[in-house]
Structure formats: C-alpha cells, structure tokens
Amino acid sequence: MGVAGANPALDHRIARRGTMTGTNTMKTPQFFQLDSLDMRRLAEEAAAGLLAPGAAVSPKFFYDALGSRLFDAITALDEYYPTRVETSILAAQQAAVVDAVLSCSGPRPVLVDLGAGSCAKAARLFRSLHPRRYVAVDISVDFLREALEGLQREHPALELAGVGQDFSARLALPPGLADDAPAVVFYPGSSIGNFAPADALRLLGEARALCAKGGALLIGADLVKPVAVLEAAYDDPLGVTAAFNLNLLRRLNALLGADFDLRQWRHVALFDERHSRIEMHLEARRAVQVRWGSAGGATASKRAFAAGERIHTENSYKWRPEAFEALLREAGFSTVRRFTDPQGWFGVFVARA
Ligand code: AVJ
C-alpha cells in the first residue's frame, strides 16, 4: 500500500479531509463470503482430478500463499510479457480506454473487479474513472481485506466492498452492490485465458448480466504470437514458472495429505496449435506411486503414474483478436473497441453491454 509521505497527492487528500466540515467521511469496506470455501469439497475435487484417466487438476489450486508469490515473481520475468504489456497499454492509452468505458456507462459507474487480489490494477483507474463504488471479487474474501482497508485510507469517501466467490463456477453478486447504477466489469491479466471457449462464453455472459443496465466490460486477453515467445513465457530459464507449477504438488500434499515427492516431477509447457493454448503439465520422471489419506476429507486413495505420464495443470488460451471480439458479441455485448501494443501481443477490449 502507498506510503503517505512518499505521495504528495495523498498527503493533500489527507490534509483536506481534516478540514472538511461536520463530517467523518471515512467509510468502512463491506465484506461478503458467498460460497464458503469448503476445504472438503476442494479436496474431493482435487482427488477426483488425480484419479481421472488423463490426470488433471484445476489451475485454481496454484494460488496458495506461496503460489501467489511465485506468480508475482513470474510477472517480474523478462520472458513473461502479458502483465508488462497489458500495463503498458493501460498506461499509454488510459485516456482513450476510460473514454470508451465511460461512453458506455456514463459518469460514476460501479467498478467490479474480477480476481482483484491486491486491487492495484483497478486502483490505477480510480483517478480517471471516478467510480461511485468499487467491488472487488476474489476466490477468498480474506485475500481482499488488507488491500481494501489500505485503499479505504487512501480513498476515505469511496464505497468499497469485498466479495469472496469462486466465479470460475458461477459469477453473481449479492443485491445492492452492482444493480443500482451502470457497472463496469474489469477482468484484467488475461485470466479469461484459463477458460476453454465454451466456459469463457458462460463467464462472459454472467459478466454481461452484471453490467446489463448500460455498463461495459473492460477485459485483457492474451493474443496469438510466435510459438517461441509463448513457450519462453511459460518455461523461463530461471525456473520460476517450473516452481509455480511444482508448487501445486506441495499444495496437494497439504490439502490431501498426499506424498508427492516434488523431485520426481518435471515442469512441461507447450503450445498446442490446434486449441491455440499453452498447456502446462507435470510429468513423472520415473514410475511413481502417490498415496493420500483422508486429511482434507477426501477418501483415502492412491494412483500409480508411469514414467513420462503427466498431470495436466493449466490451459492458457491465446486468442486472435477477431475471434475474441466474436466471443464477446456471442456473449451478448454489442460494440467492441480494441486497444493493443505496437506488436499486437496483448489486447485490452472495451465491450458495451
Ligand atoms: C494468471 C492465468 C493469466 O495464464 O498467463 C502464468 C497464469 N501460468 N504462468 C497465465 C500463469 C503460468 C496466468 N494467468
């Protein structure tokens, strides 16, 4: 969070607040946890994935405390271009992007942030978008508390809400948060890339329902580019992405009481042209047995993996811009505006609900 002394603009706001008459305008964030994070259900889901003929575990299991920090480290790699390029688009073309958004919503929209985390990306838009309320959504409301409390100190009069919801299953907000004014749904980072087209269509349709009363979607999507660039971004020489992927086994050991030996597995990342997606896998270096107990509530079980057998851990779809725009229209959005970097590596799209 911002260090007050290092930010003259912030000092100004704090000073001005002190001189405001007759008010204590400092609001407090509201918090909601929708589908309570059910460890038993999560453990069962992970175990079922391990037992499937083609073993697969959802990428949502990457993000425990260490996994989130490893992802942050990924975004600092030279090879991992998406975060850097999206940030550069939103910085260099912010006025035009925000104009496009406000031309859909009108002034003072509700800003809904999907996968908000530290809320840093959305906070960069506050000054030009002037939201009437900021609604941060993430899988666990606990990820949002600190960030929103910090934001509230910087923006004492702004209404803030944190919602814990696994929107990979279903996106729908509690009444009163985004239904009283046009909403702008912000979904940055190309996280939509984790969804196969049919699932992406479902999520985009639910996002559209949130901003249907004259709002807009502001979304980042990673674009098709040379395979060597894509594969380097997901298999960096420092091994940070390998650590991020292998951390999933640590997470499964904790969640299931499993006995994965991380040294027996290798990180694999390949671009699959047919599906236009990066696939990440964990590949057994030799024949291994994995057992798990009833720790998280999943039934005790085991699985043998042959040498070279893989666990599929992530898909990251790469879109052609025209195909992504067609997907947005199929989800019910009308006009779509596209903002890209000079190389056309990443797309920021503004879609009218
Ligand atoms: C957070 C889903 C956008 O797909 O690029 C980064 C996750 N995986 N490196 C992506 C990720 C490996 C990332 N998303």
Side-chain angles (χ1 to χ4, degrees):
M1 291 304 101
V3 179
N7 186 339
L10 185 60
D11 288 341
H12 170 69
R13 266 197 305 277
I14 290 168
R16 202 184 49 187
R17 225 181 88 222
T19 64
M20 272 184 184
T21 47
T23 46
N24 177 2
T25 52
M26 178 87 175
K27 293 199 159 73
T28 7
Q30 274 187 284
F31 294 102
F32 307 81
Q33 178 69 50
L34 295 189
D35 16 50
S36 67
L37 268 184
D38 185 342
M39 284 305 155
R40 189 194 180 86
R41 234 193 45 231
L42 279 177
E44 265 160 19
E45 182 186 339
L50 286 177
L51 290 169
V57 177
S58 162
K60 75 182 175 200
F61 290 100
F62 285 139
Y63 302 95
D64 62 357
L66 179 55
S68 298
R69 293 167 82 159
L70 288 168
F71 178 70
D72 268 353
I74 286 174
T75 66
L77 296 169
D78 289 340
E79 291 81 11
Y80 191 75
Y81 61 84
T83 311
R84 187 175 60 248
V85 175
E86 182 184 50
T87 302
S88 77
I89 295 167
L90 285 173
Q93 302 178 67
Q94 178 157 154
V97 170
V98 168
D99 266 4
V101 168
L102 292 177
S103 80
C104 302
S105 67
R108 316 241 35 215
V110 176
L111 180 59
V112 178
D113 187 1
L114 302 183
S118 72
C119 307
K121 288 182 184 178
R124 278 179 226 137
L125 297 173
F126 285 3
R127 219 179 266 267
S128 52
L129 198 66
H130 298 294
R132 75 174 57 216
R133 181 186 304 124
Y134 171 60
V135 182
V137 186
D138 212 309
I139 188 158
S140 166
V141 72
D142 296 325
F143 295 171
L144 300 169
R145 288 185 196 279
E146 234 181 285
L148 286 178
E149 274 151 17
L151 267 186
Q152 190 77 86
R153 284 190 287 277
E154 292 181 34
H155 304 272
L158 180 60
E159 229 185 279
L160 300 177
V163 178
Q165 177 172 57
D166 180 3
F167 59 82
S168 72
R170 193 173 96 93
L171 170 68
L173 293 181
L177 288 185
D179 47 10
D180 55 343
V184 172
V185 177
F186 182 44
Y187 194 27
S190 194
S191 292
I192 192 69
N194 274 163
F195 296 86
D199 299 324
L201 186 62
R202 194 254 323 142
L203 176 56
L204 293 173
E206 289 168 357
R208 185 182 169 271
L210 281 185
C211 55
K213 293 178 186 129
L217 172 69
L218 171 57
I219 185 169
D222 197 14
L223 303 178
V224 172
K225 61 185 60 60
V227 173
V229 177
L230 288 169
E231 290 187 344
Y234 291 84
D235 192 6
D236 61 280
L238 200 52
V240 180
T241 310
F244 174 74
N245 197 9
L246 285 161
N247 178 59
L248 187 82
L249 300 180
R250 249 188 83 259
R251 176 85 198 275
L252 293 178
N253 283 347
L255 185 68
L256 294 172
D259 64 352
F260 279 103
D261 175 357
L262 274 60
R263 294 180 193 281
Q264 300 193 315
W265 296 83
R266 118 174 67 237
H267 166 66
V268 176
L270 293 166
F271 187 64
D272 176 0
E273 302 265 5
R274 194 165 66 89
H275 293 102
S276 194
R277 69 190 188 196
I278 285 280
E279 292 187 5
M280 296 214 312
H281 300 262
L282 291 162
E283 184 180 288
R285 294 178 191 268
R286 57 187 71 85
V288 291
Q289 267 280 2
V290 181
R291 302 168 177 281
W292 56 94
S294 46
T299 317
S301 193
K302 63 180 179 188
R303 164 138 193 190
F305 291 90
E309 202 173 346
R310 292 173 176 177
I311 303 171
H312 190 166
T313 54
E314 184 168 45
N315 290 321
S316 188
Y317 283 81
K318 308 303 167 189
W319 290 88
R320 285 181 303 103
E322 301 74 20
F324 194 70
E325 287 169 6
L327 184 77
L328 289 168
R329 289 204 192 82
E330 212 186 320
F333 292 97
S334 53
T335 57
V336 181
R337 292 206 44 195
R338 182 203 312 170
F339 302 85
T340 54
D341 54 295
Q343 297 185 101
W345 277 11
F346 196 93
V348 170
F349 299 81
V350 176
R352 186 188 287 270

mmCIF file of all heavy atoms in Angstrom, residues 310-344:
data_model
loop_
_atom_site.group_PDB
_atom_site.id
_atom_site.type_symbol
_atom_site.label_atom_id
_atom_site.label_comp_id
_atom_site.label_asym_id
_atom_site.label_seq_id
_atom_site.Cartn_x
_atom_site.Cartn_y
_atom_site.Cartn_z
ATOM 1 N N ARG A 310 1.639 -37.693 -17.357
ATOM 2 C CA ARG A 310 1.501 -36.284 -16.986
ATOM 3 C C ARG A 310 0.234 -35.976 -16.213
ATOM 4 O O ARG A 310 -0.781 -36.649 -16.389
ATOM 5 C CB ARG A 310 1.499 -35.413 -18.255
ATOM 6 C CG ARG A 310 2.826 -35.398 -18.963
ATOM 7 C CD ARG A 310 2.713 -34.655 -20.290
ATOM 8 N NE ARG A 310 4.026 -34.566 -20.931
ATOM 9 C CZ ARG A 310 4.239 -34.024 -22.117
ATOM 10 N NH1 ARG A 310 3.234 -33.504 -22.816
ATOM 11 N NH2 ARG A 310 5.455 -33.977 -22.608
ATOM 12 N N ILE A 311 0.316 -34.938 -15.401
ATOM 13 C CA ILE A 311 -0.861 -34.324 -14.786
ATOM 14 C C ILE A 311 -1.038 -32.971 -15.474
ATOM 15 O O ILE A 311 -0.116 -32.138 -15.472
ATOM 16 C CB ILE A 311 -0.673 -34.098 -13.272
ATOM 17 C CG1 ILE A 311 -0.347 -35.425 -12.562
ATOM 18 C CG2 ILE A 311 -1.928 -33.452 -12.667
ATOM 19 C CD1 ILE A 311 0.062 -35.240 -11.095
ATOM 20 N N HIS A 312 -2.193 -32.764 -16.076
ATOM 21 C CA HIS A 312 -2.475 -31.504 -16.779
ATOM 22 C C HIS A 312 -2.887 -30.455 -15.735
ATOM 23 O O HIS A 312 -3.855 -30.661 -15.006
ATOM 24 C CB HIS A 312 -3.597 -31.764 -17.781
ATOM 25 C CG HIS A 312 -3.840 -30.643 -18.742
ATOM 26 N ND1 HIS A 312 -4.597 -30.801 -19.868
ATOM 27 C CD2 HIS A 312 -3.434 -29.362 -18.763
ATOM 28 C CE1 HIS A 312 -4.653 -29.656 -20.535
ATOM 29 N NE2 HIS A 312 -3.960 -28.757 -19.882
ATOM 30 N N THR A 313 -2.140 -29.346 -15.653
ATOM 31 C CA THR A 313 -2.386 -28.372 -14.581
ATOM 32 C C THR A 313 -2.957 -27.042 -15.059
ATOM 33 O O THR A 313 -3.537 -26.309 -14.258
ATOM 34 C CB THR A 313 -1.090 -28.099 -13.789
ATOM 35 O OG1 THR A 313 -0.066 -27.706 -14.704
ATOM 36 C CG2 THR A 313 -0.640 -29.343 -13.033
ATOM 37 N N GLU A 314 -2.764 -26.684 -16.321
ATOM 38 C CA GLU A 314 -3.289 -25.385 -16.767
ATOM 39 C C GLU A 314 -3.408 -25.317 -18.277
ATOM 40 O O GLU A 314 -2.579 -25.857 -18.998
ATOM 41 C CB GLU A 314 -2.364 -24.243 -16.292
ATOM 42 C CG GLU A 314 -2.899 -22.856 -16.644
ATOM 43 C CD GLU A 314 -2.168 -21.701 -15.940
ATOM 44 O OE1 GLU A 314 -0.921 -21.730 -15.913
ATOM 45 O OE2 GLU A 314 -2.850 -20.788 -15.445
ATOM 46 N N ASN A 315 -4.448 -24.635 -18.733
ATOM 47 C CA ASN A 315 -4.545 -24.172 -20.118
ATOM 48 C C ASN A 315 -4.520 -22.657 -20.095
ATOM 49 O O ASN A 315 -5.135 -22.042 -19.221
ATOM 50 C CB ASN A 315 -5.863 -24.607 -20.767
ATOM 51 C CG ASN A 315 -5.915 -26.105 -21.003
ATOM 52 O OD1 ASN A 315 -4.919 -26.710 -21.373
ATOM 53 N ND2 ASN A 315 -7.081 -26.684 -20.780
ATOM 54 N N SER A 316 -3.817 -22.065 -21.022
ATOM 55 C CA SER A 316 -3.817 -20.606 -21.154
ATOM 56 C C SER A 316 -4.051 -20.285 -22.631
ATOM 57 O O SER A 316 -3.127 -20.355 -23.445
ATOM 58 C CB SER A 316 -2.479 -20.045 -20.651
ATOM 59 O OG SER A 316 -2.516 -18.647 -20.586
ATOM 60 N N TYR A 317 -5.318 -20.002 -22.942
ATOM 61 C CA TYR A 317 -5.712 -19.796 -24.343
ATOM 62 C C TYR A 317 -5.169 -18.478 -24.879
ATOM 63 O O TYR A 317 -5.140 -17.456 -24.166
ATOM 64 C CB TYR A 317 -7.235 -19.810 -24.489
ATOM 65 C CG TYR A 317 -7.797 -21.212 -24.434
ATOM 66 C CD1 TYR A 317 -8.003 -21.846 -23.212
ATOM 67 C CD2 TYR A 317 -8.086 -21.918 -25.599
ATOM 68 C CE1 TYR A 317 -8.492 -23.145 -23.149
ATOM 69 C CE2 TYR A 317 -8.589 -23.216 -25.545
ATOM 70 C CZ TYR A 317 -8.787 -23.823 -24.324
ATOM 71 O OH TYR A 317 -9.267 -25.107 -24.265
ATOM 72 N N LYS A 318 -4.736 -18.516 -26.126
ATOM 73 C CA LYS A 318 -4.249 -17.327 -26.827
ATOM 74 C C LYS A 318 -5.207 -17.050 -27.986
ATOM 75 O O LYS A 318 -5.461 -17.944 -28.812
ATOM 76 C CB LYS A 318 -2.821 -17.557 -27.345
ATOM 77 C CG LYS A 318 -1.838 -18.061 -26.271
ATOM 78 C CD LYS A 318 -1.751 -17.116 -25.076
ATOM 79 C CE LYS A 318 -1.043 -17.724 -23.892
ATOM 80 N NZ LYS A 318 -1.155 -16.893 -22.672
ATOM 81 N N TRP A 319 -5.740 -15.824 -28.016
ATOM 82 C CA TRP A 319 -6.810 -15.518 -28.946
ATOM 83 C C TRP A 319 -6.305 -14.742 -30.150
ATOM 84 O O TRP A 319 -5.391 -13.933 -30.036
ATOM 85 C CB TRP A 319 -7.887 -14.700 -28.223
ATOM 86 C CG TRP A 319 -8.648 -15.514 -27.213
ATOM 87 C CD1 TRP A 319 -8.328 -15.713 -25.893
ATOM 88 C CD2 TRP A 319 -9.847 -16.248 -27.451
ATOM 89 N NE1 TRP A 319 -9.263 -16.534 -25.298
ATOM 90 C CE2 TRP A 319 -10.203 -16.873 -26.223
ATOM 91 C CE3 TRP A 319 -10.664 -16.443 -28.574
ATOM 92 C CZ2 TRP A 319 -11.340 -17.676 -26.102
ATOM 93 C CZ3 TRP A 319 -11.791 -17.235 -28.439
ATOM 94 C CH2 TRP A 319 -12.113 -17.845 -27.215
ATOM 95 N N ARG A 320 -6.952 -14.956 -31.308
ATOM 96 C CA ARG A 320 -6.833 -13.987 -32.402
ATOM 97 C C ARG A 320 -7.813 -12.882 -32.044
ATOM 98 O O ARG A 320 -8.922 -13.170 -31.566
ATOM 99 C CB ARG A 320 -7.200 -14.624 -33.749
ATOM 100 C CG ARG A 320 -6.100 -15.554 -34.302
ATOM 101 C CD ARG A 320 -6.472 -16.148 -35.660
ATOM 102 N NE ARG A 320 -7.734 -16.880 -35.603
ATOM 103 C CZ ARG A 320 -8.898 -16.427 -36.066
ATOM 104 N NH1 ARG A 320 -8.975 -15.242 -36.680
ATOM 105 N NH2 ARG A 320 -10.006 -17.145 -35.938
ATOM 106 N N PRO A 321 -7.433 -11.611 -32.255
ATOM 107 C CA PRO A 321 -8.300 -10.524 -31.783
ATOM 108 C C PRO A 321 -9.727 -10.605 -32.339
ATOM 109 O O PRO A 321 -10.691 -10.376 -31.612
ATOM 110 C CB PRO A 321 -7.588 -9.250 -32.244
ATOM 111 C CG PRO A 321 -6.360 -9.675 -32.978
ATOM 112 C CD PRO A 321 -6.138 -11.125 -32.766
ATOM 113 N N GLU A 322 -9.849 -10.977 -33.616
ATOM 114 C CA GLU A 322 -11.186 -11.053 -34.228
ATOM 115 C C GLU A 322 -12.011 -12.150 -33.551
ATOM 116 O O GLU A 322 -13.222 -12.015 -33.385
ATOM 117 C CB GLU A 322 -11.099 -11.345 -35.736
ATOM 118 C CG GLU A 322 -10.324 -10.319 -36.553
ATOM 119 C CD GLU A 322 -8.810 -10.403 -36.349
ATOM 120 O OE1 GLU A 322 -8.302 -11.463 -35.885
ATOM 121 O OE2 GLU A 322 -8.123 -9.388 -36.626
ATOM 122 N N ALA A 323 -11.362 -13.252 -33.211
ATOM 123 C CA ALA A 323 -12.085 -14.356 -32.579
ATOM 124 C C ALA A 323 -12.537 -13.951 -31.179
ATOM 125 O O ALA A 323 -13.636 -14.314 -30.737
ATOM 126 C CB ALA A 323 -11.200 -15.602 -32.516
ATOM 127 N N PHE A 324 -11.693 -13.181 -30.461
ATOM 128 C CA PHE A 324 -12.096 -12.767 -29.118
ATOM 129 C C PHE A 324 -13.263 -11.784 -29.201
ATOM 130 O O PHE A 324 -14.195 -11.839 -28.390
ATOM 131 C CB PHE A 324 -10.910 -12.166 -28.350
ATOM 132 C CG PHE A 324 -11.193 -12.043 -26.879
ATOM 133 C CD1 PHE A 324 -11.285 -13.175 -26.081
ATOM 134 C CD2 PHE A 324 -11.419 -10.800 -26.299
ATOM 135 C CE1 PHE A 324 -11.589 -13.080 -24.730
ATOM 136 C CE2 PHE A 324 -11.719 -10.696 -24.942
ATOM 137 C CZ PHE A 324 -11.807 -11.839 -24.158
ATOM 138 N N GLU A 325 -13.228 -10.895 -30.193
ATOM 139 C CA GLU A 325 -14.353 -9.962 -30.360
ATOM 140 C C GLU A 325 -15.636 -10.708 -30.707
ATOM 141 O O GLU A 325 -16.721 -10.354 -30.215
ATOM 142 C CB GLU A 325 -13.997 -8.918 -31.435
ATOM 143 C CG GLU A 325 -12.966 -7.934 -30.900
ATOM 144 C CD GLU A 325 -12.348 -7.033 -31.967
ATOM 145 O OE1 GLU A 325 -12.787 -7.089 -33.129
ATOM 146 O OE2 GLU A 325 -11.415 -6.296 -31.602
ATOM 147 N N ALA A 326 -15.514 -11.739 -31.523
ATOM 148 C CA ALA A 326 -16.697 -12.540 -31.871
ATOM 149 C C ALA A 326 -17.256 -13.227 -30.619
ATOM 150 O O ALA A 326 -18.471 -13.303 -30.427
ATOM 151 C CB ALA A 326 -16.341 -13.576 -32.942
ATOM 152 N N LEU A 327 -16.357 -13.698 -29.742
ATOM 153 C CA LEU A 327 -16.787 -14.327 -28.491
ATOM 154 C C LEU A 327 -17.553 -13.325 -27.624
ATOM 155 O O LEU A 327 -18.590 -13.649 -27.038
ATOM 156 C CB LEU A 327 -15.558 -14.859 -27.743
ATOM 157 C CG LEU A 327 -15.827 -15.633 -26.451
ATOM 158 C CD1 LEU A 327 -16.313 -17.055 -26.771
ATOM 159 C CD2 LEU A 327 -14.573 -15.715 -25.572
ATOM 160 N N LEU A 328 -17.034 -12.088 -27.539
ATOM 161 C CA LEU A 328 -17.714 -11.050 -26.742
ATOM 162 C C LEU A 328 -19.115 -10.782 -27.293
ATOM 163 O O LEU A 328 -20.081 -10.645 -26.541
ATOM 164 C CB LEU A 328 -16.884 -9.764 -26.740
ATOM 165 C CG LEU A 328 -15.582 -9.825 -25.918
ATOM 166 C CD1 LEU A 328 -14.692 -8.609 -26.211
ATOM 167 C CD2 LEU A 328 -15.888 -9.894 -24.419
ATOM 168 N N ARG A 329 -19.241 -10.732 -28.622
ATOM 169 C CA ARG A 329 -20.568 -10.493 -29.218
ATOM 170 C C ARG A 329 -21.482 -11.667 -28.959
ATOM 171 O O ARG A 329 -22.658 -11.495 -28.662
ATOM 172 C CB ARG A 329 -20.439 -10.241 -30.720
ATOM 173 C CG ARG A 329 -19.814 -8.897 -30.981
ATOM 174 C CD ARG A 329 -20.161 -8.314 -32.333
ATOM 175 N NE ARG A 329 -19.273 -7.173 -32.553
ATOM 176 C CZ ARG A 329 -18.032 -7.297 -32.992
ATOM 177 N NH1 ARG A 329 -17.554 -8.492 -33.327
ATOM 178 N NH2 ARG A 329 -17.266 -6.236 -33.119
ATOM 179 N N GLU A 330 -20.924 -12.869 -29.032
ATOM 180 C CA GLU A 330 -21.736 -14.057 -28.768
ATOM 181 C C GLU A 330 -22.255 -14.049 -27.325
ATOM 182 O O GLU A 330 -23.347 -14.548 -27.042
ATOM 183 C CB GLU A 330 -20.883 -15.313 -29.008
ATOM 184 C CG GLU A 330 -21.663 -16.501 -29.523
ATOM 185 C CD GLU A 330 -20.787 -17.747 -29.607
ATOM 186 O OE1 GLU A 330 -19.604 -17.633 -30.010
ATOM 187 O OE2 GLU A 330 -21.284 -18.825 -29.249
ATOM 188 N N ALA A 331 -21.470 -13.456 -26.419
ATOM 189 C CA ALA A 331 -21.881 -13.378 -25.012
ATOM 190 C C ALA A 331 -22.918 -12.278 -24.790
ATOM 191 O O ALA A 331 -23.396 -12.100 -23.674
ATOM 192 C CB ALA A 331 -20.667 -13.146 -24.118
ATOM 193 N N GLY A 332 -23.242 -11.503 -25.839
ATOM 194 C CA GLY A 332 -24.310 -10.514 -25.733
ATOM 195 C C GLY A 332 -23.843 -9.070 -25.757
ATOM 196 O O GLY A 332 -24.663 -8.153 -25.716
ATOM 197 N N PHE A 333 -22.531 -8.843 -25.820
ATOM 198 C CA PHE A 333 -22.051 -7.460 -25.893
ATOM 199 C C PHE A 333 -22.278 -6.922 -27.295
ATOM 200 O O PHE A 333 -22.264 -7.676 -28.277
ATOM 201 C CB PHE A 333 -20.568 -7.398 -25.517
ATOM 202 C CG PHE A 333 -20.320 -7.720 -24.064
ATOM 203 C CD1 PHE A 333 -19.942 -9.000 -23.669
ATOM 204 C CD2 PHE A 333 -20.492 -6.748 -23.085
ATOM 205 C CE1 PHE A 333 -19.737 -9.308 -22.330
ATOM 206 C CE2 PHE A 333 -20.295 -7.050 -21.746
ATOM 207 C CZ PHE A 333 -19.909 -8.330 -21.369
ATOM 208 N N SER A 334 -22.505 -5.602 -27.387
ATOM 209 C CA SER A 334 -22.775 -5.039 -28.716
ATOM 210 C C SER A 334 -21.483 -4.552 -29.352
ATOM 211 O O SER A 334 -20.750 -5.342 -29.935
ATOM 212 C CB SER A 334 -23.847 -3.954 -28.651
ATOM 213 O OG SER A 334 -23.520 -2.975 -27.675
ATOM 214 N N THR A 335 -21.136 -3.274 -29.197
ATOM 215 C CA THR A 335 -19.912 -2.805 -29.847
ATOM 216 C C THR A 335 -18.693 -3.160 -29.005
ATOM 217 O O THR A 335 -18.749 -3.233 -27.781
ATOM 218 C CB THR A 335 -19.947 -1.281 -30.044
ATOM 219 O OG1 THR A 335 -20.135 -0.689 -28.762
ATOM 220 C CG2 THR A 335 -21.060 -0.882 -30.975
ATOM 221 N N VAL A 336 -17.595 -3.410 -29.684
ATOM 222 C CA VAL A 336 -16.350 -3.743 -29.003
ATOM 223 C C VAL A 336 -15.231 -2.846 -29.530
ATOM 224 O O VAL A 336 -15.108 -2.672 -30.744
ATOM 225 C CB VAL A 336 -15.959 -5.225 -29.238
ATOM 226 C CG1 VAL A 336 -14.679 -5.549 -28.494
ATOM 227 C CG2 VAL A 336 -17.079 -6.164 -28.806
ATOM 228 N N ARG A 337 -14.475 -2.236 -28.622
ATOM 229 C CA ARG A 337 -13.281 -1.496 -29.038
ATOM 230 C C ARG A 337 -12.048 -2.222 -28.549
ATOM 231 O O ARG A 337 -12.040 -2.795 -27.464
ATOM 232 C CB ARG A 337 -13.322 -0.075 -28.486
ATOM 233 C CG ARG A 337 -14.434 0.742 -29.150
ATOM 234 C CD ARG A 337 -14.122 2.216 -29.113
ATOM 235 N NE ARG A 337 -12.734 2.492 -29.473
ATOM 236 C CZ ARG A 337 -12.135 3.656 -29.240
ATOM 237 N NH1 ARG A 337 -12.781 4.620 -28.632
ATOM 238 N NH2 ARG A 337 -10.873 3.839 -29.605
ATOM 239 N N ARG A 338 -10.996 -2.184 -29.374
ATOM 240 C CA ARG A 338 -9.773 -2.928 -29.083
ATOM 241 C C ARG A 338 -8.585 -1.981 -28.949
ATOM 242 O O ARG A 338 -8.420 -1.069 -29.746
ATOM 243 C CB ARG A 338 -9.517 -3.898 -30.237
ATOM 244 C CG ARG A 338 -8.302 -4.791 -30.060
ATOM 245 C CD ARG A 338 -7.761 -5.311 -31.395
ATOM 246 N NE ARG A 338 -8.813 -5.857 -32.261
ATOM 247 C CZ ARG A 338 -8.618 -6.183 -33.539
ATOM 248 N NH1 ARG A 338 -7.440 -6.020 -34.112
ATOM 249 N NH2 ARG A 338 -9.605 -6.659 -34.262
ATOM 250 N N PHE A 339 -7.792 -2.196 -27.938
ATOM 251 C CA PHE A 339 -6.552 -1.437 -27.734
ATOM 252 C C PHE A 339 -5.413 -2.446 -27.642
ATOM 253 O O PHE A 339 -5.508 -3.409 -26.868
ATOM 254 C CB PHE A 339 -6.622 -0.610 -26.447
ATOM 255 C CG PHE A 339 -7.782 0.357 -26.432
ATOM 256 C CD1 PHE A 339 -9.043 -0.062 -26.016
ATOM 257 C CD2 PHE A 339 -7.621 1.673 -26.846
ATOM 258 C CE1 PHE A 339 -10.125 0.820 -26.006
ATOM 259 C CE2 PHE A 339 -8.696 2.564 -26.846
ATOM 260 C CZ PHE A 339 -9.949 2.137 -26.425
ATOM 261 N N THR A 340 -4.357 -2.256 -28.434
ATOM 262 C CA THR A 340 -3.231 -3.195 -28.369
ATOM 263 C C THR A 340 -1.907 -2.441 -28.289
ATOM 264 O O THR A 340 -1.863 -1.221 -28.454
ATOM 265 C CB THR A 340 -3.148 -4.138 -29.590
ATOM 266 O OG1 THR A 340 -3.129 -3.336 -30.762
ATOM 267 C CG2 THR A 340 -4.307 -5.106 -29.641
ATOM 268 N N ASP A 341 -0.852 -3.196 -28.038
ATOM 269 C CA ASP A 341 0.510 -2.669 -28.080
ATOM 270 C C ASP A 341 0.973 -2.666 -29.536
ATOM 271 O O ASP A 341 0.356 -3.317 -30.385
ATOM 272 C CB ASP A 341 1.414 -3.559 -27.220
ATOM 273 C CG ASP A 341 1.302 -5.020 -27.639
ATOM 274 O OD1 ASP A 341 0.205 -5.594 -27.476
ATOM 275 O OD2 ASP A 341 2.279 -5.567 -28.181
ATOM 276 N N PRO A 342 2.079 -1.975 -29.841
ATOM 277 C CA PRO A 342 2.544 -1.908 -31.232
ATOM 278 C C PRO A 342 2.804 -3.279 -31.860
ATOM 279 O O PRO A 342 2.598 -3.457 -33.062
ATOM 280 C CB PRO A 342 3.844 -1.096 -31.139
ATOM 281 C CG PRO A 342 3.688 -0.261 -29.901
ATOM 282 C CD PRO A 342 2.870 -1.085 -28.949
ATOM 283 N N GLN A 343 3.211 -4.272 -31.085
ATOM 284 C CA GLN A 343 3.470 -5.608 -31.656
ATOM 285 C C GLN A 343 2.208 -6.459 -31.776
ATOM 286 O O GLN A 343 2.254 -7.543 -32.341
ATOM 287 C CB GLN A 343 4.466 -6.370 -30.781
ATOM 288 C CG GLN A 343 5.838 -5.711 -30.715
ATOM 289 C CD GLN A 343 6.826 -6.566 -29.930
ATOM 290 O OE1 GLN A 343 7.657 -7.267 -30.505
ATOM 291 N NE2 GLN A 343 6.727 -6.528 -28.622
ATOM 292 N N GLY A 344 1.110 -5.984 -31.185
ATOM 293 C CA GLY A 344 -0.126 -6.763 -31.208
ATOM 294 C C GLY A 344 -0.039 -8.025 -30.362
ATOM 295 O O GLY A 344 -0.642 -9.049 -30.686
#
